[in-house]
Amino acid sequence: MRIRFTKMQGAGNDFVVLDETTQRLNLTPAHYRFLADRHFGVGADQILTVRPAPQPDVDFEYVIHNADGGEVEQCGNGSRCFVRFVREQGLTDKTTVRVKVHGGVITLQEMPDGQVTVDMGAPVFDLPQVPFAAAYATAVNDTTWQLVLSNGDAVKVGVVSMGNPHAVQVVADVDTAPVLAQGPLIENHAAFPKRVNAGFMQVLSRNALRLRVFERGAGETLACGTGACAAVVTGIRWGLLDPCVTVQTHGGTLTIEWQGGDTPVRMIGPATTVFNGEITIPDTL
Ligand SMILES: N[C@H](CCC[C@H](N)C(=O)O)C(=O)O
């Protein structure tokens, strides 16, 4: 099967974007894994698919698959690339688009300076909706849980869904934090029946933090948009951060704003088209 794609990145989190607005490609998890493969395919953290609006109050549907081939509920950096893609491809001339994702509806706006603002919706702390199985953890207080990892480490995390699940901890220095050791152990911890994205944040001030994320289904990425939202929300709940925070990641800087409660989290950041291409997906995957 020969397919066309666009390679994009948002703060270094990289994507293969597919246009299914006129026809479905009917790809399988193996196909998504091939496209994400950095040696045999194109290479990406996630595969983003654009589909026609499934309901009258949105402009498009946005489908996300991780590099491991699994479909997921939300992708923050990908959403900024989504609006850049649909405008560059002439699929809309709107600068603000509403998009149906598995995790809900999000609103994306391309700004005159090229940055993209995303209304990510409100964070969800209701544990069954994350989902989080509290029986496999110990409550430290009403916003903090202790997880014991299979290597014996005990970590204190905030648990939140941005449409997708996140476990966030504070570390003294992200450069020396055990991201690659603890990341997969947290990702696959029994407390998270759908696995989880593991965030490691270093608080620099009440308005700035550094962040590394070991992503569910992708491993450590250069940036994670929903992870940045989860880290800021967690830091605000823990009394460490003010409502507007600059999040520094290895791949770039995001601005996250949250006024608390059921208010939406607002993310501002870059989106870049790297190249357009074609690739043949082997029939024998
Ligand atoms: N790995 C995530 C999906 C991609 C999220 C990330 N790339 C972002 O920018 O939010 C998950 O399994 O929930």
Side-chain angles (χ1 to χ4, degrees):
M1 175 184 356
R2 186 82 174 160
I3 65 167
R4 288 186 300 162
F5 67 87
T6 296
K7 183 74 192 301
M8 302 188 77
Q9 60 87 7
N13 193 192
D14 66 338
F15 311 105
V16 166
V17 187
L18 305 175
D19 181 351
E20 288 192 1
T21 54
T22 56
Q23 73 167 71
R24 289 288 182 97
L25 296 171
N26 299 312
L27 300 182
T28 65
H31 292 148
Y32 292 118
R33 286 193 292 273
F34 170 81
L35 289 172
D37 191 296
R38 298 191 185 281
H39 301 284
F40 298 100
V42 179
D45 296 323
Q46 281 86 31
I47 313 297
L48 314 180
T49 301
V50 184
R51 289 183 180 156
Q55 58 201 57
D57 62 337
V58 300
D59 300 291
F60 296 97
E61 182 176 20
Y62 165 35
V63 180
I64 304 139
H65 290 82
N66 277 324
D68 70 358
E71 182 177 351
V72 291
E73 310 88 343
Q74 185 61 279
C75 178
N77 288 322
S79 65
R80 299 195 312 275
C81 292
F82 186 101
V83 69
R84 176 68 37 80
F85 178 82
V86 294
R87 286 177 50 78
E88 282 184 347
Q89 297 292 321
L91 298 174
T92 183
D93 59 3
K94 292 182 178 179
T95 54
T96 300
V97 296
R98 282 172 52 82
V99 175
K100 174 74 174 72
V101 293
H102 189 288
V105 173
I106 55 176
T107 302
L108 320 173
Q109 181 178 8
E110 185 171 80
M111 313 301 283
D113 65 358
Q115 294 274 295
V116 179
T117 297
V118 186
D119 171 342
M120 294 293 294
V124 173
F125 303 106
D126 178 52
L127 299 177
Q129 293 187 61
V130 173
F132 179 71
Y136 292 95
T138 304
V140 175
N141 56 44
D142 60 353
T143 61
T144 313
W145 295 87
Q146 177 170 282
L147 303 174
V148 177
L149 309 183
S150 56
N151 68 351
D153 288 359
V155 296
K156 290 183 174 61
V157 297
V159 175
V160 59
S161 172
M162 288 304 306
N164 58 345
H166 289 269
V168 184
Q169 63 178 293
V170 170
V171 295
D173 183 341
V174 290
D175 294 329
T176 58
V179 175
L180 300 182
Q182 291 186 353
L185 305 183
I186 297 169
E187 176 192 7
N188 296 287
H189 194 281
F192 298 97
K194 290 190 175 178
R195 298 183 293 156
V196 72
N197 300 282
F200 301 76
M201 72 167 158
Q202 175 186 352
V203 178
L204 302 175
S205 73
R206 296 192 62 80
N207 300 100
L209 63 88
R210 298 177 68 208
L211 180 68
R212 290 173 67 184
V213 180
F214 191 93
E215 287 198 31
R216 176 181 62 171
E220 182 176 7
T221 58
L222 294 183
C224 177
T226 51
C229 296
V232 169
V233 162
T234 299
I236 290 172
R237 287 186 101 207
W238 283 348
L240 304 175
L241 298 172
D242 288 339
C244 184
V245 180
T246 300
V247 178
Q248 301 168 22
T249 74
H250 282 158
T253 299
L254 302 175
T255 300
I256 308 295
E257 298 172 0
W258 183 53
Q259 299 300 334
D262 288 335
T263 66
V265 180
R266 187 164 177 261
M267 171 178 59
I268 306 167
T272 302
T273 298
V274 183
F275 65 89
N276 292 296
E278 292 188 14
I279 188 168
T280 298
I281 298 181
D283 294 329
T284 55
L285 280 182

